[in-house]
Amino acid sequence: HKLDDVNLVNLLPIGGTPVGDSERAEALYDGDAGNLIGIRTFSGEKGSEMPLHSIIVGAKGSGKSLLVNDILVQTEPIYDYTVIVDNGLSYGVYTACVDEGAAPIIIRSNGNYTFNPFDTRGLPLNNESLSNITALLSLLIGGADSPEKRRYREALMTSQVREIYADYYRRYRREQEAHLPQIAREALCVERWHRERSVDGDGFVDAFVEFQEFQKASPDNACEWLASYSDSDLSAFIENPKNDALLGNMVFAHFRPEDFPTLYEVQDEIQAQGRKRPATSESEEYALLAKLLEIWLRDGPYGPIVDGVTNIDLKKKIVHFELGKIKESERELLAVAGFLIMNDVRNYIMTMPRSVRKRLILEELSAVMDMENGPKIARDYWERARKYNCWVLGILQNFARLYEQNPGVT
């Protein structure tokens, strides 16, 4: 006799009817046998919980968005922060109902929103952020004839980005000298925290975020740490050329959005390199790079999306990005917008207290995987979001697409 799966499960000697975690359920659903199934997005006991990253797969029109909307509503009381990357305004009603006055951030060509990729969002400058900037610039200029050519172009652009950050740091030292001792004090404390308290594998930025939390949770103890360095210690630290890189990186954690360099300045610097005479193969390459970046300046066909001061507020309870208004003919804009959103959200989540429960909803995970550097960004979220108490949910129509996009990696 043929048995349906649901009936076969009921014949198994071990608890035949799935119930999930009904005692501590965050959301409840009907089972096939008239039972209730409880689901959780975090596992473990209170105080040591871990996010259970998830993927929902279903054909177009099968009800994926309806299911996710229901999960979001049921679990809303236990979340402090939600980011949605949407493609079709599937979550507009949820956003408006849960967070009064909230509205989707609609990304389109010649819109009003700007992500400044050179804005560190309150974090120190670091190698990972520089690597992401290089990846974005590479995305903006398009492909190269060969991997060697691409690496060469990335090296040229990276050298100019580093030089611009160095210029901004030198200007800060001249104009804000009075603030340097306090920044040096913080840098010394973060270095000490990294040595004494950070777990293996954590970097300086992780230690920076953890020390910030320490300052909020235990202000008296943090003040003792900060006060443990004398004025002479600070002066010696500031004047020692070996500490210039660390101090320079820390300075950018104190910048306001309007203080950071912009794409216009980077493109202008690259263009200046291209005008050097006599012309060389390197100057000619710089001239080409400047021309390719030109269309992404704020007066170009795509508007200010990547050129100008960051004006997107990520501090709301729900941040809802909508990419569905980008035209089919603007696939390069879709890729750039996706990259900017994922990178900016990650940087902001890193600055939030670890105790705050967060979640990221990716409506079209396969679109993220199609982006330049998309597989790396997605893998980074799946591997590292747990550290920041963030649940990640990806939604796609065909699971095989993940393997097709990343054979041997998925």
Side-chain angles (χ1 to χ4, degrees):
H1 297 284
K2 178 179 179 295
L3 288 175
D4 291 332
D5 289 347
V6 63
N7 294 323
L8 178 61
V9 167
N10 291 335
L11 293 176
L12 294 176
I14 52 171
T17 305
V19 294
D21 193 340
S22 54
E23 291 186 5
R24 296 178 297 172
E26 298 169 5
L28 291 172
Y29 290 94
D30 293 324
D32 288 334
N35 56 308
L36 281 179
I37 299 176
I39 68 167
R40 298 180 68 194
T41 57
F42 275 70
S43 66
E45 301 300 323
K46 190 171 183 179
S48 60
E49 295 174 308
M50 291 176 56
L52 299 167
H53 300 325
S54 309
I55 292 178
I56 293 178
V57 184
K60 186 175 182 179
S62 61
K64 299 185 301 296
S65 297
L66 184 64
L67 171 62
V68 175
N69 267 288
D70 189 73
I71 292 173
L72 292 177
V73 171
Q74 288 199 58
T75 57
E76 176 61 31
I78 63 170
Y79 277 94
D80 306 294
Y81 187 65
T82 301
V83 177
I84 301 169
V85 183
D86 199 356
N87 197 330
L89 282 177
S90 302
Y91 306 96
V93 174
Y94 161 77
T95 300
C97 290
V98 174
D99 194 3
E100 186 177 354
I105 299 170
I106 299 177
I107 307 298
R108 51 161 60 98
S109 56
N110 282 304
N112 299 318
Y113 293 113
T114 300
F115 300 84
N116 182 4
F118 306 96
D119 186 339
T120 63
R121 285 279 185 185
L123 294 173
L125 185 65
N126 57 87
N127 288 333
E128 185 175 4
S129 58
L130 287 170
S131 174
N132 289 331
I133 289 170
T134 301
L136 174 66
L137 293 176
S138 185
L139 179 60
L140 296 180
I141 65 172
D145 297 337
S146 66
E148 291 76 17
K149 170 71 81 174
R150 176 174 176 161
R151 286 194 292 269
Y152 176 59
R153 288 180 171 180
E154 288 179 348
L156 293 178
M157 293 187 291
T158 300
S159 68
Q160 296 310 304
V161 170
R162 286 183 180 276
E163 186 55 37
I164 285 176
Y165 274 121
D167 284 344
Y168 270 70
Y169 167 56
R170 288 190 286 267
R171 186 191 309 168
Y172 187 92
R173 284 196 67 139
R174 291 194 306 270
E175 299 176 358
Q176 306 291 338
E177 187 177 2
H179 293 153
L180 290 178
Q182 181 58 27
I183 296 176
R185 194 183 296 276
E186 291 177 10
L188 286 164
C189 286
V190 173
E191 266 200 322
R192 177 185 165 192
W193 186 279
H194 193 206
R195 287 193 311 269
E196 299 178 5
R197 303 274 186 103
S198 292
V199 300
D200 291 342
D202 277 2
F204 183 83
V205 172
D206 293 306
F208 172 83
V209 172
E210 289 168 4
F211 186 74
Q212 281 193 318
E213 289 188 33
F214 176 60
Q215 285 180 286
K216 294 173 184 176
S218 306
D220 293 339
N221 291 334
C223 281
E224 289 181 13
W225 276 56
L226 292 164
S228 64
Y229 299 99
S230 65
D231 291 343
S232 59
D233 292 333
L234 302 178
S235 296
F237 181 86
I238 292 169
E239 298 305 322
N240 188 342
K242 292 181 179 179
N243 300 322
D244 219 31
L246 175 58
L247 187 61
N249 290 344
M250 280 290 293
V251 157
F252 292 102
H254 294 263
F255 271 37
R256 299 166 301 175
E258 58 269 27
D259 296 332
F260 285 95
T262 63
L263 181 65
Y264 173 82
E265 294 166 89
V266 173
Q267 190 270 348
D268 188 57
E269 184 63 32
I270 290 174
Q271 193 170 56
Q273 296 296 319
R275 289 174 177 158
K276 284 186 175 180
R277 293 295 178 267
T280 64
S281 59
E282 184 173 290
S283 66
E284 290 173 355
E285 195 67 41
Y286 271 122
L288 176 59
L289 292 173
K291 200 66 181 174
L292 292 171
L293 288 172
E294 193 175 321
I295 66 167
W296 291 99
L297 299 182
R298 63 186 305 109
D299 57 355
Y302 299 117
I305 185 170
V306 74
D307 181 29
V309 177
T310 298
N311 60 7
I312 292 174
D313 183 10
L314 296 179
K315 296 180 180 178
K316 298 176 181 177
K317 180 174 171 48
I318 298 176
V319 181
H320 181 185
F321 293 101
E322 168 56 39
L323 301 178
K325 299 298 181 181
I326 297 176
K327 300 172 186 174
E328 189 66 32
S329 60
E330 299 175 324
R331 288 187 61 81
E332 62 276 11
L333 176 60
L334 179 62
V336 168
F339 185 101
L340 291 166
I341 290 169
M342 297 290 284
N343 194 55
D344 226 23
V345 167
R346 177 180 54 189
N347 286 348
Y348 181 71
I349 285 176
M350 287 176 66
T351 67
M352 298 178 72
R354 300 280 173 91
S355 58
V356 170
R357 189 176 275 199
K358 319 161 192 75
R359 59 185 172 187
L360 171 66
I361 312 301
L362 301 173
E363 171 64 19
E364 284 294 343
L365 179 58
S366 59
V368 173
M369 303 298 279
D370 270 336
M371 293 176 348
E372 180 81 14
N373 226 29
K376 178 181 179 297
I377 293 174
R379 186 166 59 245
D380 187 60
Y381 267 106
W382 252 261
E383 291 175 353
R384 295 174 59 190
R386 174 194 58 76
K387 183 191 300 184
Y388 304 108
N389 209 32
C390 178
W391 177 55
V392 182
L393 172 63
I395 303 150
L396 66 158
Q397 295 183 24
N398 186 348
F399 191 80
R401 283 278 290 151
L402 288 182
Y403 182 79
E404 291 168 5
Q405 291 164 321
N406 304 275
V409 177
T410 305

